[in-house]
Amino acid sequence: MEQIEQYMNNPYYWAHTQKGKPEETLAAHSQLCLRYYCQYCKKKKIDILVKRIIAQCGCDKRETDDIYQLFVDAVYYHDIGKINPAYQYRVLHNPHFSVTYSSSHHAILSAYIYMCERLETFSRADMKKFSYFLFAFSYSIARHHGYLNDIADFKDKLQGCIETEGCYAKKLDLEKNSIFTVEKGYDRLKKIIADEATFYILNKLLFGVITACDYCATAEYMNGVEAEINVIDNLDELKSRYFKGDLYFGIRRYQDNHTVFAGSINEQRCRIFLEAEENLRDNPSACVYYLEAPTGSGKTNVSINLFLTMLEQDRELTNVFYIFPFNTLVEQTTDSLKKYFTYGKDMVVVNSLAPIYVEAPVRKTPSAGPEELNYCDYEKAVWNKVFNNYPIVVTSHVNFFNALFGTGREQSFPLVKLCNSVVIIDEIQSYRNSIWWQIILFLSKYADLLHIKIVIMSATLPKLDLLLENQGYNIVDLLKDPQVYYRSSFFKNRVELDFSLLIYKKIDLSTLLAKVLEYKNKKILVEFISKTTAREFFTMLCQQKGIYCIEITGDDNARNRKSMIQEIKSRESIVVVATQVIEAGVDIDMDIGFKDISLPDAEEQFLGRINRSCLKKGCKAYFFNYDDAQKIYRDDERIHYPITDPHIGELLNNKDFKGIYELVLHDVKVKGERLTRKDSIQFTYKNCLELNYREIEQKMRLIPPAYQIFLAYELVVDGEIISGRRVWEQYKNMCLSKDMGYGEKKVRLSEMAEEISYFTYTVYSNDQQVLSCNEEFGGYYYIENGEQFIEDGKFNRKAFQNCSKGLFL
């Protein structure tokens, strides 16, 4: 390691330059990265977690300490390849170097130098095990400016460093040192690494740490501001605000005197709240908790108490993340949290629609001129957003899965913040069940290794740990027997289920219409599983006299959807025609429901929109069969258990989701055990051990690849005309503007996100197809005459598909 320190101590080697500032030496940057690593260790206990993970890879105490040093060195030496004279000369314009070389790369050279220097410190006995850790860590260094890929071609890239002239004197014989042990195969690697998923998580965390520390250190040099790692450091204040709320006060009154809410739905809610709290306190060491409770039982309120209790019990927990699959749930939960916590200071929403939160303008310096009196730190705002650097984060399942499995730098930043955190996941059953086994495996592993307390909550919650058999994971039910609550008359009898329309193999829409009109003075919800059918039935309704109806689908923008939901709440009678988007926790309270059958838990989610308050009488839900659910849910094991099966219908009527999910999970497990399939669990283990990052990312992708089309037309919202063409030009001009810094531009673009969403629609297609459009820019496909695909203010997918085969050539 002597030679590498000589490079580090040479002031002629620079790391960064910035106009108007002294050059940053390589040593200064490396030490700053190490300082940020130490801050993460202080705030998030990264060092303790890393050592625990290494030990669980099958290392004894001495091996753990030595490999941990390799981990830290990877952070410190990740930029050592900047000693490349070509990089100094061409990229940094360093006058101390005048000779040019064939390549100015530095990341792959950093990996090579790190590997050479550390390899020579290994004893012969350590070589076999340590070399694979070293090789894996080196790969994270090599990719710290890009994306993680599959590691298999890394050896060839290292070979290129050996052939680079004049950068580094030492030569590494990759074959002699057996550094590329992946070639030896999965079985041989299993003798070196005890647990595949643990090894994968160790390396994902290293990549996150290297890129996070490098980003923070570089930003500090460029902007002159030290990055702060935001954690919950005002727990007593948060608890005090929540404890003063009416809900909490009422629950504690009930705890002292059970007659307070006797015989009411609030009694059931109090019992759920108190039992969940008690079981949490009795099981503080669990890594995953299930909260299975009926619709309308107050799960959001329970979850707030749970995370505050966890933070109180375990002071190493320093952040909270709420994870949702749908933006409607994000909006509703944010509104609930705002009752107790300050937006911006305590909590922030991080998703594709929420503007980047910017702190209030301040005086930049004591002697600030007029132009600096209202200074906004946009760079800090962007940094906080990409790192999810807020005490409490409300975010999407895509953002969460990107942190766990994503291969990009910015995708991986939040992983470091997830360490020592509480994570609350809602509606997990909405994820593809073809990856349920992988989901619970990784969630349990991440929770155990990174000290994350995960609460999984839903009214229809699959106990995914049944897929794990007896692998020692500490998973606890917060309600020991949820059926006690489901059988309560307030929840079980909230809605009467009627299967009489299932006598029709495929109901005629006119027959369905006649049945719906029997309740025309009520608030009626009709759900289809096809947007095309929903539009057809909506058109039929519109032709009826004395009927007020609206249509809600996934193609409605957020602003229109909010407006429609308010309209639903304000009317005594209305017919709402919807697709599955209505199941996503939408806060409406209907009298009568009609649903095209699909999946058994989707039927219950639909029921959650009817008599949501549990205060109405005579509420009823009819189920019918129209579109072929097999075509829409063909890869979902739940499709084999429709409510047309009397046994499944009875389980749904009794709210016995455990009975339904036991059947489904058995099928998921059988499918996952097929060793010849690329989606088998054994294939996942293999990818983890061989660090096939892209394979894992693609396997764990929640949403298939899609195109974002921008339809230019004039939209009327609340009486205001918004021009899509104007929005598109503003968006392009903002992207291309050179009049503002990077941070301010990112903030301004985020502020346009919701307005842009009014005109953007997701279109799924094969990767080989290319979209024909007027213009492609910023990831959007712009279509000038968007009016041709808009009908009654909504996206007409059928017209889009029929026009030049959907504009795909």
Side-chain angles (χ1 to χ4, degrees):
M1 300 292 288
E2 196 172 308
Q3 184 174 355
I4 199 170
E5 287 304 319
Q6 290 177 358
Y7 289 124
M8 278 293 189
N9 294 326
N10 188 336
Y12 290 144
Y13 288 113
W14 298 345
H16 300 101
T17 59
Q18 172 85 324
K19 186 176 181 180
K21 291 187 175 183
E23 297 78 11
E24 182 186 41
T25 66
L26 181 57
H29 174 66
S30 302
Q31 289 161 8
L32 191 52
C33 288
L34 195 59
R35 194 189 83 198
Y36 273 106
Y37 175 71
C38 292
Q39 285 192 32
Y40 275 114
C41 291
K42 181 180 178 181
K43 294 269 192 174
K44 304 298 293 180
K45 305 291 190 275
I46 298 296
D47 50 343
I48 297 172
L49 299 179
V50 171
K51 289 177 182 178
R52 182 196 306 169
I53 298 171
I54 293 170
Q56 291 197 30
C57 285
C59 299
D60 60 28
K61 177 65 168 62
R62 183 193 62 82
E63 291 171 336
T64 296
D65 290 341
D66 289 346
I67 293 172
Y68 173 71
Q69 191 57 51
L70 290 181
F71 187 100
V72 177
D73 286 349
V75 178
Y76 184 65
Y77 293 119
H78 76 277
D79 263 349
I80 188 63
K82 287 185 175 180
I83 66 169
N84 183 350
Y87 182 86
Q88 293 290 323
Y89 179 74
R90 291 179 183 163
V91 178
L92 300 180
H93 307 293
N94 189 334
H96 299 104
F97 298 86
S98 57
V99 180
T100 59
Y101 294 87
S102 58
S103 174
S104 60
H105 59 66
H106 80 278
I108 185 69
L109 183 59
S110 296
Y112 179 75
I113 296 173
Y114 162 80
M115 188 180 296
C116 288
E117 294 289 335
R118 286 312 319 252
L119 192 63
E120 66 182 17
T121 67
F122 297 166
S123 67
R124 184 180 296 273
D126 289 334
M127 182 64 70
K128 183 177 181 181
K129 176 175 286 189
F130 283 23
S131 62
Y132 192 47
F133 282 93
L134 182 66
F135 184 78
F137 291 178
S138 300
Y139 183 70
S140 287
I141 293 175
R143 303 299 302 171
H144 78 270
H145 279 297
Y147 288 81
L148 293 169
N149 210 319
D150 297 339
I151 201 171
D153 64 345
F154 184 39
K155 178 182 173 183
D156 293 335
K157 297 186 183 303
L158 287 171
Q159 193 68 36
C161 291
I162 298 174
E163 297 161 1
T164 300
E165 182 182 357
C167 290
Y168 180 70
K170 293 183 182 179
K171 302 295 181 184
L172 175 63
D173 189 329
L174 300 177
E175 300 296 341
K176 180 180 178 181
N177 288 289
S178 301
I179 198 74
F180 192 57
T181 45
V182 174
E183 289 181 338
K184 297 184 180 298
Y186 174 76
D187 292 335
R188 293 287 294 275
L189 288 176
K190 272 293 292 175
K191 296 178 181 178
I192 301 171
I193 308 296
D195 188 275
E196 302 94 328
T198 299
F199 186 68
Y200 167 80
I201 291 171
L202 172 66
N203 284 278
K204 272 286 291 158
L205 182 59
L206 174 61
F207 182 71
V209 167
I210 289 175
T211 54
C213 293
D214 183 42
Y215 188 102
C216 293
T218 303
E220 180 172 334
Y221 167 72
M222 295 294 186
N223 304 320
V225 179
E226 180 180 350
E228 298 178 9
I229 302 168
N230 291 327
V231 296
I232 294 175
D233 52 13
N234 62 335
L235 178 58
D236 290 340
E237 180 185 342
L238 298 183
K239 287 163 52 182
S240 176
R241 284 193 236 145
Y242 175 65
F243 292 166
K244 290 177 181 178
D246 292 340
L247 284 176
Y248 185 84
F249 180 74
I251 291 167
R252 293 308 178 196
R253 280 180 59 213
Y254 171 82
Q255 188 177 23
D256 294 335
N257 181 2
H258 285 185
T259 65
V260 172
F261 298 120
S264 72
I265 189 174
N266 284 335
E267 179 180 27
Q268 298 299 313
R269 290 167 176 159
C270 290
R271 289 177 58 198
I272 289 170
F273 180 101
L274 294 170
E275 184 186 347
E277 180 184 74
E278 180 182 3
N279 287 324
L280 173 65
R281 291 189 182 278
D282 289 344
N283 297 275
S285 61
C287 60
V288 176
Y289 300 88
Y290 289 137
L291 178 59
E292 181 184 7
T295 297
S297 62
K299 287 187 290 295
T300 300
N301 183 51
V302 173
S303 72
I304 295 172
N305 185 59
L306 290 175
F307 83 66
L308 289 173
T309 304
M310 289 180 184
L311 295 174
E312 178 185 48
Q313 285 183 312
D314 186 348
R315 291 308 177 101
E316 288 190 355
L317 298 171
T318 52
N319 289 97
V320 175
F321 290 79
Y322 271 89
I323 312 299
F324 296 104
F326 312 110
N327 282 328
T328 50
L329 292 172
V330 169
E331 294 162 7
Q332 289 169 201
T333 304
T334 301
D335 289 341
S336 296
L337 293 173
K338 282 180 178 178
K339 296 175 183 176
Y340 313 108
F341 313 124
T342 305
Y343 194 86
K345 177 186 176 185
D346 302 320
M347 56 162 290
V348 168
V349 173
V350 178
N351 66 6
S352 59
L353 295 181
I356 296 174
Y357 175 76
V358 182
E359 294 177 359
V362 296
R363 180 185 291 270
K364 187 172 184 180
T365 61
S367 58
E371 72 283 357
E372 295 180 321
L373 289 178
N374 294 316
Y375 170 74
C376 289
D377 195 338
Y378 295 110
E379 304 296 334
K380 179 181 177 182
V382 172
W383 185 88
N384 283 333
K385 192 257 185 180
V386 297
F387 278 83
N388 289 195
N389 189 41
Y390 315 99
I392 302 171
V393 175
V394 183
T395 190
S396 69
H397 61 330
V398 172
N399 186 41
F400 178 59
F401 269 53
N402 281 343
L404 302 186
F405 310 110
T407 57
R409 293 173 67 233
E410 289 196 7
Q411 290 176 321
S412 300
F413 288 160
L415 180 59
V416 189
K417 284 298 299 294
L418 281 166
C419 296
N420 288 290
S421 293
V422 178
V423 173
I424 298 167
I425 304 175
D426 199 10
E427 309 293 4
I428 200 170
Q429 79 283 344
S430 65
Y431 302 167
R432 291 186 295 119
N433 65 41
S434 62
I435 59 171
W436 277 3
W437 196 339
Q438 285 82 357
I439 286 174
I440 193 60
L441 168 70
F442 280 117
L443 287 182
S444 301
K445 280 288 183 185
Y446 269 111
D448 178 51
L449 297 172
L450 301 189
H451 191 215
I452 302 171
K453 299 292 186 180
I454 297 178
V455 177
I456 301 174
M457 63 182 190
S458 177
T460 56
L461 197 158
K463 301 295 179 65
L464 299 183
D465 61 299
L466 295 175
L467 297 168
L468 295 176
E469 297 178 331
N470 297 315
Q471 297 190 25
Y473 297 107
N474 193 351
I475 299 176
V476 168
D477 288 301
L478 290 172
L479 301 181
K480 294 302 182 184
D481 184 8
Q483 281 298 301
V484 169
Y485 304 104
Y486 282 97
R487 286 193 294 265
S488 163
S489 61
F490 292 103
F491 299 120
K492 184 183 178 188
N493 300 331
R494 195 185 78 237
V495 183
E496 178 189 348
L497 277 58
D498 190 310
F499 301 124
S500 61
L501 297 180
L502 292 175
I503 61 171
Y504 303 100
K505 187 175 181 180
K506 180 176 180 178
I507 196 170
D508 186 86
L509 290 184
S510 60
T511 302
L512 178 63
L513 177 63
K515 192 67 179 178
V516 169
L517 292 178
E518 291 180 13
Y519 298 94
K520 63 181 182 179
N521 294 323
K522 300 281 189 178
K523 299 177 77 167
I524 307 168
L525 174 62
V526 186
E527 181 188 317
F528 294 93
I529 57 177
S530 161
K531 290 179 181 178
T532 302
T533 308
R535 169 46 59 101
E536 183 179 352
F537 190 77
F538 177 70
T539 302
M540 293 171 65
L541 271 172
C542 290
Q543 296 169 357
Q544 305 299 311
K545 293 183 178 180
I547 298 293
Y548 185 83
C549 57
I550 62 174
E551 180 189 19
I552 301 179
T553 72
D555 289 332
D556 289 301
N557 62 63
R559 189 166 173 179
N560 278 346
R561 187 165 59 246
K562 286 180 184 178
S563 176
M564 285 189 285
I565 290 173
Q566 290 304 314
E567 189 170 13
I568 293 169
K569 292 180 177 181
S570 67
R571 286 185 170 268
E572 292 295 323
S573 63
I574 187 173
V575 181
V576 179
V577 180
T579 56
Q580 301 96 312
V581 69
I582 208 71
E583 298 168 12
V586 175
D587 186 18
I588 57 175
D589 191 1
M590 311 300 287
D591 303 324
I592 304 294
F594 293 84
K595 184 182 185 302
D596 195 357
I597 61 171
S598 57
L599 309 176
D601 45 5
E603 325 299 25
E604 175 62 21
Q605 292 292 330
F606 168 79
L607 293 174
R609 306 317 116 205
I610 303 167
N611 196 11
R612 191 170 176 82
S613 63
C614 306
L615 298 175
K616 301 178 180 180
K617 302 295 182 182
C619 294
K620 202 169 187 177
Y622 292 89
F623 293 94
F624 62 89
N625 195 2
Y626 187 79
D627 285 306
D628 186 358
Q630 290 276 356
K631 293 181 179 179
I632 298 173
Y633 300 100
R634 57 184 176 274
D635 294 326
D636 196 310
E637 298 304 313
R638 290 170 290 186
I639 197 61
H640 305 304
Y641 301 99
I643 60 171
T644 49
D645 179 334
H647 175 59
I648 301 301
E650 186 62 21
L651 289 174
L652 175 65
N653 198 33
N654 292 327
K655 311 296 184 185
D656 185 0
F657 302 107
K658 179 181 179 182
I660 296 173
Y661 279 128
E662 283 177 349
L663 298 170
V664 174
L665 290 169
H666 173 267
D667 292 352
V668 170
K669 188 172 184 181
V670 169
K671 189 174 182 180
E673 286 174 337
R674 295 174 189 165
L675 301 184
T676 57
R677 297 175 62 95
K678 288 190 72 174
D679 59 359
S680 73
I681 194 67
Q682 289 302 322
F683 195 74
T684 299
Y685 289 137
K686 183 176 183 292
N687 281 329
C688 284
L689 193 54
E690 296 181 357
L691 297 181
N692 295 323
Y693 293 106
R694 282 295 177 91
E695 288 273 2
I696 295 171
E697 179 185 43
Q698 291 171 9
K699 174 67 181 176
M700 302 306 294
R701 182 176 287 143
L702 296 175
I703 299 174
Y707 296 99
Q708 292 291 320
I709 61 171
F710 188 107
L711 300 181
Y713 69 101
E714 289 193 345
L715 172 68
V716 179
V717 180
D718 297 333
E720 176 189 355
I721 298 176
I722 304 176
S723 167
R725 294 168 183 83
R726 174 186 59 78
V727 172
W728 177 254
E729 289 303 317
Q730 286 180 336
Y731 168 69
K732 285 203 308 177
N733 292 338
M734 184 75 70
C735 290
L736 299 172
S737 173
K738 297 181 180 179
D739 297 331
M740 63 183 73
Y742 171 80
E744 183 177 0
K745 182 181 291 188
K746 293 288 284 187
V747 169
R748 298 303 181 202
L749 286 171
S750 77
E751 292 171 346
M752 292 185 65
E754 183 171 341
E755 196 170 44
I756 291 171
S757 74
Y758 298 164
F759 304 94
T760 56
Y761 302 89
T762 301
V763 177
Y764 299 97
S765 181
N766 296 327
D767 293 336
Q768 294 82 4
Q769 294 176 314
V770 179
L771 182 63
S772 175
C773 61
N774 299 96
E775 184 178 10
E776 180 183 351
F777 183 85
Y780 296 104
Y781 294 86
Y782 176 78
I783 298 173
E784 171 63 30
N785 298 315
E787 292 89 349
Q788 61 184 313
F789 306 122
I790 300 297
E791 181 182 356
D792 298 328
K794 295 178 182 289
F795 180 38
N796 188 331
R797 285 183 178 270
K798 192 171 184 179
F800 179 82
Q801 292 162 358
N802 291 337
C803 181
S804 300
K805 296 182 179 179
L807 297 189
F808 288 96
L809 303 179

